Amino acid sequence: MAISFSLLLSLALAQGLPQVRELPPRELYWFLVNRVQEAMVVGLPPEGLGEALKGKRLTLVLGREALPSWARGARAVRLGGSLVAGWFLLADGRFFVAPKGQAYLVVESPEVVAVLRGYFAVAVAGGGR
C-alpha cells in the first residue's frame, strides 16, 4: 500500500470537522444493531460485535481469515497474503468505526468514509464471492 492509512484519514479530516464519539463495547453493539444497515468491514471485529452485524448488507475485506458464522451471506473480498492486522468498519456511507483502547471510536463523516472506501474500491470491485 503506497499511501498510508493515516495520510488518507488526515486528508479526509481536513475536509471538515466530523462528529467523533467514543463508545464502550455495549453501546457500540447497540449502535450497530439499531443504526447500521450496510457495512464494509476490513479485518474481523470481536465476535460479539460481529453478531451485531448479522442480517446487515455486509462486505468483508479479509486476508486468509476464515469467514465467521455471523457473516454467512456476506460478500467476502480476499486481499490475499497474510491475516489482516486489526479491523475497522465503514457503515452507511457516513460512519467510520475502529477500536481505541477499551472503547471504540465512531467518526461520523461522509468524507472520511468516502476516502477510505475509495482506497479499497479496486479490491472490492474486483474480488468477492
Side-chain angles (χ1 to χ4, degrees), residues 41-50 53 58-71 74 76 78 83-89 99 104:
V41 184
V42 178
L44 289 176
E47 188 75 22
L49 293 178
L53 296 170
L58 290 177
T59 300
L60 272 71
V61 179
L62 304 171
R64 321 181 288 218
E65 296 89 347
L67 199 61
S69 60
W70 56 262
R78 300 290 179 172
L83 302 173
V84 175
W87 70 276
F88 68 88
L89 70 84
Y104 295 93

Side-chain angles (χ1 to χ4, degrees), residues 4 6 10 15 25 29 32 34 53 59 67 74 91 97 99 103 110-111 113 128:
S4 77
S6 59
S10 64
Q15 301 297 314
Y29 177 89
L32 295 174
N34 296 308
L53 296 170
T59 300
L67 199 61
V97 178
E111 295 83 8
V113 172

